[in-house]
Amino acid sequence: MTRLTLPLTTTALVLLITTLHGTPTAQADENPSVPPGTEATASAPVELDPNDPDLKLPEGATLAEPKVLDIKQVVEDQSGDERREDTNADVKFALQAEVLFGKDSARLSAQAKSRIVAIAQEIKTQNATRIRVFGFTDNLGSSAHGDVLSRQRANAVHGVLESELNDAGVTFEVRGYGEDYPIADNSTEAGRKKNRRVEVSFPRGDA
């Protein structure tokens, strides 16, 4: 008996997979690009003559168009375990890993959920629909291990946020950056503690 096989279109294949397995959930990207705000500038700024008393521009150079700088407000609790940054456009929470996880673990602690739930409430207040969850580690241990651990921790926080928000209109960008992009000096334990963190950021609404 001759068997007729019809090729599935890409769209039909995606629909079939979605039907069989349900809507796919976000997982941390194994090869993430740089975090927003840390990208290299497209071109180097015009150099000024340090010997010129008036710091005049070199002949032929022009000033860039004026722009309004973003105002950033940073609030950190007394213990330094939690940090909130507010700008004109975004809100970012940074939680130290020790607040959320055990040592070298991606399993959320009993106290962690309440802190993540509070962030979910702020997301609702801001009516945000695009959420970034980024994990980071210090520079101890291998870089490969740090990459995996930071992804696992970002995924764990994302899972709680997704459950709390329970909104199909909300999209997540989940990434693990390992030891890249430290915010403090890795040569001290105090600095490494700050670098072991999970950041949750989202656009500011009209709240």
Side-chain angles (χ1 to χ4, degrees):
M1 181 174 65
T2 303
R3 205 169 173 187
L4 181 62
T5 303
L6 296 177
L8 287 174
T9 65
T10 302
T11 302
L13 182 59
V14 170
L15 289 174
L16 177 60
I17 293 172
T18 302
T19 302
L20 292 176
H21 299 286
T23 304
T25 57
Q27 291 291 307
D29 189 346
E30 293 189 4
N31 297 292
S33 58
V34 300
T38 61
E39 302 91 341
T41 54
S43 59
V46 175
E47 291 186 5
L48 299 177
D49 181 2
N51 298 317
D52 190 325
D54 297 324
L55 290 178
K56 294 179 181 178
L57 286 169
E59 186 176 351
T62 58
L63 290 173
E65 291 295 322
K67 66 178 181 177
V68 177
L69 296 178
D70 205 4
I71 298 174
K72 179 186 289 188
Q73 179 183 10
V74 179
V75 177
E76 189 172 275
D77 66 8
Q78 191 170 7
S79 65
D81 291 344
E82 186 171 334
R83 174 187 177 96
R84 172 175 174 154
E85 295 182 8
D86 287 85
T87 69
N88 299 338
D90 300 290
V91 179
K92 179 167 69 178
F93 290 89
L95 297 174
Q96 288 187 6
E98 283 83 348
V99 175
L100 304 175
F101 308 98
K103 184 177 180 181
D104 202 32
S105 170
R107 184 183 297 274
L108 289 165
S109 66
Q111 296 79 20
K113 186 174 180 181
S114 62
R115 290 179 179 255
I116 301 173
V117 167
I119 294 176
Q121 290 302 316
E122 181 65 18
I123 292 171
K124 293 178 182 178
T125 299
Q126 298 293 341
N127 297 314
T129 58
R130 293 180 294 108
I131 317 301
R132 293 169 173 154
V133 186
F134 296 162
F136 303 86
T137 62
D138 60 26
N139 65 348
L140 297 182
S142 72
S143 176
H145 177 69
D147 290 344
V148 172
L149 182 61
S150 64
R151 286 198 301 269
Q152 291 173 337
R153 287 176 167 177
N155 284 330
V157 173
H158 159 250
V160 176
L161 287 174
E162 186 176 46
S163 176
E164 286 298 315
L165 295 173
N166 192 26
D167 186 344
V170 173
T171 59
F172 291 86
E173 182 181 352
V174 188
R175 297 179 177 179
Y177 288 100
E179 66 187 51
D180 295 333
Y181 310 105
I183 58 173
D185 186 356
N186 267 318
S187 66
T188 68
E189 176 52 28
R192 290 192 294 269
K193 185 177 179 182
K194 286 182 177 293
N195 292 332
R196 299 189 294 265
R197 69 198 190 277
V198 175
E199 295 181 353
V200 180
S201 60
F202 43 90
R204 174 176 292 285
D206 297 328

